[in-house]
Amino acid sequence: MEKRTYAPGDVVYQEGDTSESVYLIKSGRIELVDHYPETGDVVSKTLGAGRVFGEIELIDRKARSSTAKVTESSKLLVFSHEEILDILFKHPEQSLVLARDVFDRLRQLYSTDSLDAEMTKLREEMHETIKKAVVSHESRVVKSHNGMAAIAIPIVLLVAIVVGIRLYLH
């Protein structure tokens, strides 16, 4: 077990990093941030003292599924994969803290309330993103039309003058 101290703004790990450790928050706050190509970064969970994070990826041995960011000065206990296995098999009573967070996450995953709330949040984020994209597109269209008008008006005037001169002279 290793003790680490983090300052606000520090990143404990990035989405896609290999999973080498599990973290127990002794003090401070950590945000787990998920990145969605459609909507950008979304804080999926904020954790405080006594909470464990990073355990799922360590157990399934996959890359980190989110980024862990420090929001206030934090002290973390860091456990390696081998230490976690030792706790699970040699000291199962100590693994209850780890199990609690895993079961909380499973409960949230299969809770219809949580799913409905996530879907509502995603709909709102998508609505905002679409609205911003439409406004941005409309402003580009208006600018391009104004630019075209700035070019077209002198040309039309020049053609009208030439036609007028030809009519006047003939």
Side-chain angles (χ1 to χ4, degrees):
M1 172 180 61
E2 179 184 349
K3 295 178 183 178
R4 292 186 192 164
T5 303
Y6 292 89
D10 287 351
V11 174
V12 179
Y13 58 75
Q14 291 277 354
E15 180 177 341
D17 287 352
T18 57
S19 303
E20 302 294 330
S21 305
V22 172
Y23 302 85
L24 172 64
I25 304 170
K26 292 297 285 177
S27 66
R29 285 214 169 299
I30 306 292
E31 287 183 341
L32 298 180
V33 180
D34 295 328
H35 179 76
Y36 297 99
E38 304 83 16
T39 58
D41 291 341
V42 176
V43 176
S44 62
K45 188 175 277 192
T46 301
L47 305 171
R51 298 303 302 264
V52 173
F53 65 99
E55 73 284 358
I56 298 296
E57 297 92 350
L58 189 64
I59 292 168
D60 69 12
R61 304 302 282 169
K62 293 185 179 179
R64 297 289 184 189
S65 60
S66 59
T67 298
K69 292 184 179 180
V70 179
T71 58
E72 57 184 59
S73 295
S74 299
K75 292 182 181 178
L76 306 178
L77 296 179
V78 184
F79 298 91
S80 69
H81 182 256
E82 293 75 28
E83 290 172 315
I84 292 299
L85 291 178
D86 185 51
I87 289 171
L88 289 172
F89 293 109
K90 292 183 181 174
H91 307 285
E93 68 282 354
Q94 293 178 2
S95 68
L96 292 177
V97 172
L98 177 65
R100 181 195 71 204
D101 279 355
V102 171
F103 288 120
D104 281 349
R105 210 172 276 178
L106 285 172
R107 184 180 300 119
Q108 284 178 344
L109 181 63
Y110 290 106
S111 166
T112 56
D113 293 339
S114 175
L115 183 58
D116 290 341
E118 287 295 319
M119 291 303 291
T120 300
K121 184 177 177 182
L122 184 59
R123 274 198 259 348
E124 290 171 359
E125 290 170 359
M126 287 177 67
H127 177 73
E128 280 300 311
T129 302
I130 290 168
K131 188 166 93 175
K132 287 177 185 174
V134 168
V135 168
S136 173
H137 174 71
E138 287 175 351
S139 72
R140 285 194 307 271
V141 168
V142 167
K143 286 178 185 173
S144 70
H145 288 327
N146 288 343
M148 288 171 43
I151 294 170
I153 289 172
I155 292 173
V156 169
L157 288 174
L158 185 61
V159 169
I161 291 171
V162 169
V163 169
I165 291 173
R166 286 192 79 163
L167 289 174
Y168 179 74
L169 294 175
H170 290 295

